[in-house]
Amino acid sequence: MHFSPGAPILRSYDLQDWEYVGHSVPTLHFGDSYYLIGDQAYIQGVWASFFDYHASQDTWYWVGCINFSTTYIYSAPSATGLWNRLTTIGKCYYDAGLLIDDDGTIHISYTYSNAIWAAQLALDVKSERNGVYYILVTHPASIEYVLKSSTVFGSYTINALASSGLIDTPDGQWYYMAFIDAYPGGRIPVPASITWGSDDFPTVDLVSGGWGSSHTSTLPTVPVASPTGADYFTSIGHNWEGYHNPDTSKFSTGSSGLTLYTATVTDDLYAARNTITHRILGPVSTATVKLNHSNMSDGDCAGLVLLRDSSAWVGVKRDSGAYTVAFTTGLTMNSDWSTASTGSTTASVSVNGGSIWLRVTADVQPNGTKRATFYYSTDGTNFHWLVLYDGCELGILHGLSVWHL
């Protein structure tokens, strides 16, 4: 996608608790549109990609097809980085998967012209078990097929499984990690144990024919960094990403937190550079920010946004030296992800210059209300309800942004 840095890496020791540890693509160096210069790159960029560890080289590799035309390869000595672009290939290995064989040979499986191909170099996920090669192929949106062969280049036999990848643990346990579409919260990873049949095909251990509401792991629990809690922005962690590549001269971090300078003169939030985003958490998510707006100039806007192709935000505007906290809704995109509407302000309250706290609470449960509530506070304790928004089913990101009207 268009988030920068791209291809986030998460780590877990028990397949339940995960933490962000890095990004495989530090900057989306794929053209000016990824910097919001002259054009935009919404829903372009990093899609289904893969990465793996090459033991004999002691190197991690990430591979992904960008803009359906070019395959980019990045490498790093550790999953946590530093990642650098290694090379590009003038061919699209789309929805590819990687296998680094026991002898170090690199194989790619990928889709092209309605067929599944294997190349010596690495489709969705490929692995080797007991001398058998597997390709896992997703048939959107509910079935995944397993292809099995005794050699990399086939021929393959096929069986249905369910969509994503196989995991084997050091003690010989096998798990299937899939994702489920949990609209409006997005795609959520879910694990299940695997049973291997006498035919060497894996079967997912389901509950009454479906995913269980909970999963019991026999792996030891290891604490990881919490996905919730306060962030004082002494630096920008890997759980935050820019909406396109940022203008690095227009923000800073440190002991005073995150300072965003006006990077764009526009009436279109979707065109504003340096919007920093955080993936929304379910089932009910609350984001609160303290905003010091004392140095804003006339025409500046700064706020907290529930962001996607249908968006709304609460924030501070300064006009003729006066400050208002305002709710703006109706920001929408066309099917080609160009801006359809820049929205309109439907509620506002006068405030003094200084600091203000902004808050959004969103219910993103598939069977929930799909509503968001926007608040503000002048003391950080007493929050005032500003508006109830019925459009949160299309907003899956919390974002912070500053721009100039």
Side-chain angles (χ1 to χ4, degrees):
M1 301 297 281
H2 49 274
F3 303 107
S4 178
I9 301 169
L10 288 84
R11 176 175 59 198
S12 175
Y13 301 91
D14 55 17
L15 300 182
Q16 298 181 85
D17 300 314
W18 295 81
E19 61 180 342
Y20 287 88
V21 296
H23 285 83
S24 303
V25 182
T27 306
L28 308 183
H29 285 311
F30 309 138
D32 285 351
S33 62
Y34 289 90
Y35 293 85
L36 284 175
I37 297 175
D39 201 356
Q40 46 82 5
Y42 286 109
I43 75 163
Q44 300 178 47
V46 176
W47 282 23
S49 57
F50 62 82
F51 85 130
D52 204 350
Y53 177 65
H54 198 302
S56 62
Q57 298 180 8
D58 193 23
T59 300
W60 289 83
Y61 290 98
W62 176 92
V63 183
C65 172
I66 305 298
N67 297 340
F68 301 99
S69 61
T70 304
T71 297
Y72 288 74
I73 301 178
Y74 288 73
S75 64
S78 168
T80 58
L82 296 170
W83 287 87
N84 292 284
R85 184 191 294 182
L86 180 65
T87 189
T88 60
I89 300 174
K91 179 177 182 177
C92 179
Y93 289 118
Y94 181 71
D95 264 6
L98 172 70
L99 169 68
I100 299 174
D101 215 337
D102 294 340
D103 62 359
T105 303
I106 300 176
H107 299 285
I108 297 177
S109 56
Y110 63 100
T111 56
Y112 174 73
S113 189
N114 294 320
I116 303 166
W117 300 76
Q120 186 169 322
L121 165 101
L123 190 191
D124 265 349
V125 174
K126 192 170 187 178
S127 59
E128 180 187 8
R129 175 181 179 270
N130 298 336
V132 179
Y133 294 87
Y134 295 87
I135 302 176
L136 276 64
V137 187
T138 300
H139 183 278
S142 59
I143 298 176
E144 185 157 52
Y145 291 99
V146 180
L147 285 70
K148 175 174 69 74
S149 175
S150 59
T151 65
V152 169
F153 296 106
S155 59
Y156 283 83
T157 55
I158 189 170
N159 199 0
L161 180 61
S163 163
S164 201
L166 295 177
I167 301 168
D168 63 319
T169 65
D171 62 354
Q173 299 180 66
W174 285 82
Y175 294 90
Y176 178 70
M177 183 66 76
F179 66 76
I180 57 174
D181 286 310
Y183 180 89
R187 292 172 171 174
I188 298 175
V190 291
S193 56
I194 283 287
T195 298
W196 289 94
S198 58
D199 57 359
D200 279 331
F201 275 109
T203 302
V204 179
D205 298 330
L206 301 175
V207 178
S208 300
W211 293 103
S213 59
S214 62
H215 168 71
T216 301
S217 173
T218 60
L219 300 173
T221 300
V222 178
V224 297
S226 173
T228 62
D231 194 328
Y232 297 96
F233 288 108
T234 54
S235 62
I236 296 179
H238 290 294
N239 52 339
W240 292 92
E241 297 168 341
Y243 221 47
H244 293 68
N245 291 322
D247 180 344
T248 57
S249 70
K250 297 297 184 181
F251 75 89
S252 62
T253 59
S255 59
S256 59
L258 171 65
T259 301
L260 293 174
Y261 304 94
T262 301
T264 313
V265 178
T266 182
D267 63 351
D268 181 5
L269 174 61
Y270 293 123
R273 295 190 67 184
N274 286 16
T275 299
I276 182 171
T277 67
H278 190 293
R279 178 67 60 175
I280 202 168
L281 302 174
V284 177
S285 180
T286 297
T288 304
V289 298
K290 180 182 180 182
L291 176 68
N292 183 330
H293 53 87
S294 58
N295 290 323
M296 290 175 63
S297 301
D298 283 346
D300 280 351
C301 302
L304 176 64
V305 59
L306 197 61
L307 184 63
R308 212 179 84 169
D309 56 347
S310 176
S311 304
W313 61 272
V314 59
V316 176
K317 297 180 179 181
R318 174 171 164 160
D319 292 296
S320 301
Y323 296 89
T324 58
V325 57
F327 171 72
T328 301
T329 186
L331 291 79
T332 57
M333 287 182 155
N334 297 306
S335 59
D336 64 354
W337 294 82
S338 62
T339 300
S341 172
T342 57
S344 59
T345 298
T346 60
S348 63
V349 178
S350 296
V351 293
N352 296 321
S355 293
I356 194 169
W357 286 257
L358 306 173
R359 175 174 291 175
V360 178
T361 297
D363 182 347
V364 296
Q365 300 174 90
N367 297 321
T369 63
K370 301 181 178 65
R371 287 182 171 180
T373 310
F374 292 76
Y375 305 86
Y376 75 96
S377 172
T378 56
D379 59 12
T381 301
N382 300 296
F383 282 83
H384 307 285
W385 176 85
L386 192 61
V387 73
L388 179 68
Y389 176 52
D390 282 315
C392 86
E393 67 268 17
L394 294 180
I396 60 170
L397 295 169
H398 294 308
L400 302 171
S401 187
V402 175
W403 68 102
H404 187 92
L405 294 174

